[in-house]
């Protein structure tokens, strides 16, 4: 939440107090990134520039790619693109409306890693879910892989999708 004067609460006299761990929007500024799914289901990005940024008076011009790479955004964009495949899924109802059970699944898979890990570790999870056992094994060993598995699992549970949210090849559409 912004401070009462509209400023970021992490900005101190000496600069950003969370610079190393700053969120994506701060890393991206003075750009704003919008994502949609392209014709092939892959994320397509558009950048908007805040021309009021004082950095535009700098003597050196750069590219969007150089800026985002220099700000360490590549892994953030990869994770956001993966989530976009789920949130922008073509079978997602518009407007989105989930049952209480659907909301529970989303919260568990995307935000409650400890509970989801226990769910995934249950015997027979891979078979019941139609997910490759090797993906389940990777998920139990890595938090990032667990989140990816959760996105694939949600695509199956919420939309009946038999391909992985990552855009990988699953067993084909039902």
């Amino acid at each position: 939440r912004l401070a009462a004067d509209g400023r970021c609460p992490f900005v101190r006299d000496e600069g950003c107090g969370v610079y190393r761990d700053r969120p994506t929007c701060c890393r991206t500024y003075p750009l704003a990134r919008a994502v949609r799914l392209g014709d092939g289901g892959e994320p397509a990005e558009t950048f908007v520039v805040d021309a009021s940024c004082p950095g535009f008076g700098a003597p050196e011009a750069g590219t969007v790619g150089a800026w985002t790479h220099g700000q360490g955004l590549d892994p953030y964009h990869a994770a956001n693109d993966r989530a976009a495949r789920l949130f922008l899924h073509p079978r997602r109802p518009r407007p989105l409306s989930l049952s209480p059970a659907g909301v529970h699944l989303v919260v568990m898979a995307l935000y409650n890693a400890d509970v989801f890990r226990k769910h995934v570790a249950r015997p027979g999870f891979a078979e019941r879910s139609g997910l490759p056992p090797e993906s389940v094994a990777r998920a139990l060993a890595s938090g990032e892989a667990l989140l990816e598995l959760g996105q694939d699992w949600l695509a199956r549970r919420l939309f009946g999708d038999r391909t992985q949210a990552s855009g990988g090849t699953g067993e084909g559409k039902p």
Side-chain angles (χ1 to χ4, degrees), residues 71-130:
Q71 294 298 309
L73 282 162
D74 297 336
Y76 290 82
H77 286 177
N80 288 336
D81 288 351
R82 188 169 190 8
R85 289 185 187 96
L86 178 63
F87 296 130
L88 301 174
H89 196 284
R91 292 191 191 150
R92 191 197 88 189
R94 287 169 175 66
L96 179 62
S97 96
L98 293 174
S99 68
V103 170
H104 173 75
L105 296 177
V106 170
V107 170
M108 177 177 67
L110 301 182
Y111 300 103
N112 197 337
D114 293 336
V115 171
F116 187 58
R117 183 175 284 108
K118 288 177 186 173
H119 183 74
V120 169
R122 288 181 179 160
F125 173 83
E127 295 79 26
R128 283 191 312 278
S129 301

Side-chain angles (χ1 to χ4, degrees), residues 54-70:
F56 283 106
E60 295 181 28
T63 65
V64 168
W67 176 259
T68 59
H69 183 73

